[in-house]
């Protein structure tokens, strides 16, 4: 497998190496088995917080392993103190692991030290984890949560513009599963909003947040900006969206890739490499401006930008300009 790519802006303004968290969903094994695999790779001891939630406190930070089923988790929280309920919940969580996703949530990891994640994927695969193609019920995915180099409005804008210009191409590059495409969880930005976004030269954080909320009043976006915006201006976000599932954190929340964990030719490295195309474009203002102008030139009255020709153009442009 290829090594993990390093983005062009590896360090934050403070001089520290940027970090990134990963979340990936699968079925086929129970939470205890998944937690044991995490502990073997990253160290630490797995322990159950409830039948539905395990944790591994490793030298690299705390990993969370849980059944991604809010109802089961609430039952575990409400009744887990009682012995009979504990046994019942344990049986239920064992059965649920085969029909609802288990989610492994990593701590923030330095972007220049991601290689152990490959070993973790192999360990989970060897244990029997099944991914996207094995489920007709749940659209298993991989989420990438990268820290930004800084929180200047221009930096945030450039990342959003880079993603927006590439979003159609990214769906093809990741070969997003049809089951996931029809789910609402990874909806793309509306084309009208892309036009608005790429037209900015300068923008304040307040304007960026307000315009985003007006066009995307939902968590269901392939690049979900709500966690970052809630971190930077919680009051502004909460005034528009009263959703307790919005978790403030100082990262982007990119949720487009599949999780084909059972396939030997699938790797996190590949999906991370695809994301790094966004990193590269965001770090090169002149290239970003050039692709923006091409998008605007391709925009047709009423019809908008033709999707397939734009994907083809982006593919050629990336090869010629970003390698």
């Amino acid at each position: 497998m290829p090594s993990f790519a390093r983005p062009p802006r590896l360090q934050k303004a403070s001089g520290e190496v940027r970090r990134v968290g990963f979340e990936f969903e699968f079925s086929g094994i129970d939470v205890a088995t998944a937690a044991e695999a995490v502990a073997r790779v990253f160290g630490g001891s797995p322990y159950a917080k409830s039948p539905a939630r395990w944790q591994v406190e490793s030298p690299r930070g705390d990993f969370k392993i849980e059944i991604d089923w809010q109802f089961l988790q609430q039952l575990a929280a409400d009744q887990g103190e009682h012995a009979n309920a504990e046994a019942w919940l344990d049986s239920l969580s064992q059965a649920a692991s085969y029909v609802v996703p288990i989610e492994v949530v990593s701590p923030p990891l330095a972007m220049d030290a991601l290689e152990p994640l490959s070993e973790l994927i192999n360990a989970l695969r060897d244990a029997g984890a099944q991914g996207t193609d094995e489920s007709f019920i749940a659209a298993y995915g991989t989420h990438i949560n990268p820290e930004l180099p800084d929180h200047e409005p221009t930096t945030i804008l450039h990342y959003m513009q880079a993603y927006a210009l590439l979003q159609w191409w990214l769906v093809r590059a990741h070969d997003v599963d049809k089951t996931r495409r029809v789910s609402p969880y990874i909806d793309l930005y509306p084309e009208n909003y892309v036009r608005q976004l790429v037209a900015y030269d300068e923008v304040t954080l307040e304007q960026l947040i307000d315009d985003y909320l007006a066009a995307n009043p939902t968590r269901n976006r392939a690049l979900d900006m709500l966690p970052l915006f809630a971190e930077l201006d919680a009051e502004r976000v909460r005034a528009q969206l009263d959703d307790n599932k919005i978790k403030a954190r100082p990262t982007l929340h990119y949720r487009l890739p599949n999780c084909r964990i059972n396939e030997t030719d699938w790797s996190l490295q590949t999906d991370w490499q695809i994301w790094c195309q966004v990193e590269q474009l965001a770090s090169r203002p002149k290239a970003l401006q050039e692709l923006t102008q091409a998008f605007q030139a391709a925009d047709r009255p009423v019809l908008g930008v033709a999707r397939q020709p734009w994907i083809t153009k982006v593919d050629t442009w990336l090869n010629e300009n970003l390698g």
Side-chain angles (χ1 to χ4, degrees):
M1 290 294 180
S3 60
F4 282 87
R6 297 187 180 184
R9 296 186 67 181
L10 182 61
Q11 295 179 320
K12 295 186 288 187
S14 64
E16 297 175 309
V17 173
R18 291 169 60 198
R19 300 180 299 170
V20 56
F22 289 86
E23 307 167 38
F24 40 96
E25 303 165 326
F26 52 88
S27 60
I29 58 177
D30 58 35
V31 284
T33 301
E36 289 165 1
V38 172
R40 284 198 303 273
V41 174
F42 283 91
S45 299
Y47 66 93
K49 301 186 75 172
S50 79
R53 304 183 69 179
W54 283 62
Q55 187 161 315
V56 175
E57 295 178 355
S58 83
R60 297 286 299 274
D62 293 349
F63 285 79
K64 298 178 182 179
I65 306 94
E66 55 192 19
I67 293 178
D68 190 18
W69 185 13
Q70 188 176 5
F71 175 69
L72 178 57
Q73 292 181 8
Q74 188 59 51
L75 284 178
D78 292 345
Q79 303 183 46
E81 296 179 359
H82 305 290
N84 291 338
E86 184 80 10
W88 176 77
L89 285 168
D90 187 57
S91 297
L92 182 57
S93 66
Q94 291 275 346
S97 68
Y98 295 95
V99 293
V100 297
I102 287 175
E103 184 176 43
V104 172
V105 181
S106 83
L109 302 169
M111 290 185 182
D112 61 354
L114 298 177
E115 276 65 27
L117 288 169
S118 297
E119 187 178 349
L120 176 58
I121 294 299
N122 290 336
L124 291 168
R125 181 185 296 128
D126 291 344
Q130 299 293 315
T132 307
D133 291 342
E134 299 302 313
S135 173
F136 296 100
I137 301 172
Y140 300 165
T142 298
H143 300 181
I144 302 174
N145 306 310
E147 289 182 327
L148 292 175
D150 58 63
H151 291 156
E152 293 298 321
T154 299
T155 300
I156 299 171
L157 172 63
H158 285 174
Y159 271 84
M160 294 177 69
Q161 289 175 326
Y163 162 77
L165 291 167
L166 299 185
Q167 64 175 357
W168 294 342
W169 175 85
L170 288 164
V171 171
R172 193 187 71 175
H174 287 297
D175 191 21
V176 178
D177 184 84
K178 291 181 180 179
T179 303
R180 301 189 69 239
R181 289 191 197 187
V182 299
S183 73
Y185 308 115
I186 56 170
D187 285 347
L188 304 180
Y189 291 162
E191 191 170 336
N192 283 340
Y193 179 65
V194 175
R195 292 190 190 94
Q196 179 183 17
L197 188 62
V198 300
Y200 291 130
D201 288 323
E202 296 182 0
V203 66
T204 64
L205 179 63
E206 292 77 13
Q207 183 184 4
L208 196 58
I209 295 175
D210 287 344
D211 290 348
Y212 179 86
L213 293 173
N216 306 278
T218 174
R219 296 168 54 246
N220 295 335
R221 290 291 182 266
L223 183 65
D224 177 13
M225 297 300 299
L226 294 177
L228 177 64
F229 288 157
E231 175 77 14
L232 300 179
D233 194 338
E235 184 176 350
R236 184 174 295 274
V237 172
R238 303 295 179 189
Q240 296 296 322
L241 289 178
D242 184 19
D243 186 343
N244 59 14
K245 292 184 180 180
I246 298 173
K247 298 178 181 178
R249 56 187 169 192
T251 70
L252 302 175
H253 185 45
Y254 180 62
R255 63 209 308 185
L256 197 55
N258 304 307
C259 182
R260 294 194 170 107
I261 196 168
N262 56 296
E263 300 177 19
T264 56
D265 61 350
W266 177 84
S267 70
L268 283 179
Q269 295 97 308
T270 299
D271 285 321
W272 173 247
Q273 175 68 41
I274 293 170
W275 165 256
C276 281
Q277 295 292 310
V278 178
E279 294 274 349
Q280 288 211 46
L281 184 57
S283 70
R284 297 174 58 178
K286 289 184 179 180
L288 187 59
Q289 183 180 29
E290 180 182 324
L291 194 59
T292 293
Q293 291 171 347
F295 181 86
Q296 292 169 330
D299 195 8
R300 303 163 298 171
V302 182
L303 297 176
V305 177
R307 182 166 180 160
Q308 290 305 320
W310 179 249
I311 291 172
T312 300
K313 179 173 181 60
V314 166
D315 199 42
T316 301
W317 189 91
L318 290 173
N319 287 330
E320 292 176 350
N321 291 273
L322 301 184

